[in-house]
Amino acid sequence: MAEENQVIHCNTTEAWEEQLHKGNENKKLLVVGFTAWSYGPCQLIAPILAELAKKNPEVMFLKVDVDELKTVSEKWGVDAVPTFLFLKQGKVVDKVVGAKKDELQTKVKKHAADASSTDDPSLNGATAIATATASESATATATATATGTIAPTATTPTTPTATA
């Protein structure tokens, strides 16, 4: 098999299943290029995929030749080449059909960022805290507006004042 940061060619069903399992187990984004080597656009996009693999070590890049693995491409609903499927946890989250370099690069960047942010538990906690804080603040503001009271904030003094 290929080293990391390279496109891994799956030329048997067993190799495909092994790499799919490995990607799911590691919770990595998988970008699978379904190609036909004899088709010109597939040849043109191949170096782009290889470059993306080098620049995105957090992503697994696989290549499946539709002529070698017809059953795999049929199972995944591939009816045109090149087709790039973006998989997370064994589910298709996005797709690019055609040798669309810019769209492929944009979607790899987007989904790689999404995958890395959801893999970091500390970020998930920060997001949850920020969401809860924003929600509580919105609730307090809505309550104050509805009741005509002003909720104390960091800039509003909350100490009682003496009256004569």
Side-chain angles (χ1 to χ4, degrees), residues 19-99:
Q19 293 305 318
L20 187 62
H21 177 74
K22 204 181 281 188
N24 291 341
E25 197 172 68
N26 296 332
K27 298 184 179 176
K28 283 192 166 195
L29 170 67
L30 289 168
V31 177
V32 185
F34 288 89
T35 65
W37 183 245
S38 60
Y39 189 56
C42 295
Q43 293 175 9
L44 291 174
I45 201 73
I48 305 303
L49 196 63
E51 188 64 30
L52 286 169
K54 287 178 186 171
K55 291 180 178 178
N56 296 280
E58 72 281 7
V59 179
M60 279 183 68
F61 290 85
L62 306 178
K63 179 173 72 169
V64 174
D65 187 305
V66 296
D67 295 326
E68 290 177 350
L69 295 179
K70 287 183 183 184
T71 56
V72 172
S73 40
E74 287 171 1
K75 178 182 176 187
W76 288 89
V78 174
D79 54 5
V81 293
T83 293
F84 301 92
L85 298 181
F86 294 75
L87 307 175
K88 289 184 186 173
Q89 301 290 318
K91 294 184 171 90
V92 177
V93 295
D94 215 335
K95 180 179 185 177
V96 174
V97 179

Side-chain angles (χ1 to χ4, degrees), residues 140-152:
T141 304
T143 303
T145 304
T147 62
T149 60
I150 299 174

Side-chain angles (χ1 to χ4, degrees), residues 100-136:
K100 300 174 184 169
K101 174 185 172 183
D102 293 339
E103 186 178 350
L104 184 61
Q105 289 173 326
T106 299
K107 289 188 177 189
V108 166
K109 186 176 181 179
K110 173 189 183 292
H111 291 292
D114 289 350
S116 66
S117 69
T118 57
D119 287 345
D120 186 344
S122 66
L123 289 178
N124 288 341
T127 303
I129 291 167
T131 303
T133 303
S135 176
E136 290 162 5

Side-chain angles (χ1 to χ4, degrees), residues 10-19 68-72:
C10 299
N11 56 1
T12 66
T13 304
E14 293 77 23
W16 161 254
E17 289 173 0
E18 176 187 339
Q19 293 305 318
E68 290 177 350
L69 295 179
K70 287 183 183 184
T71 56
V72 172

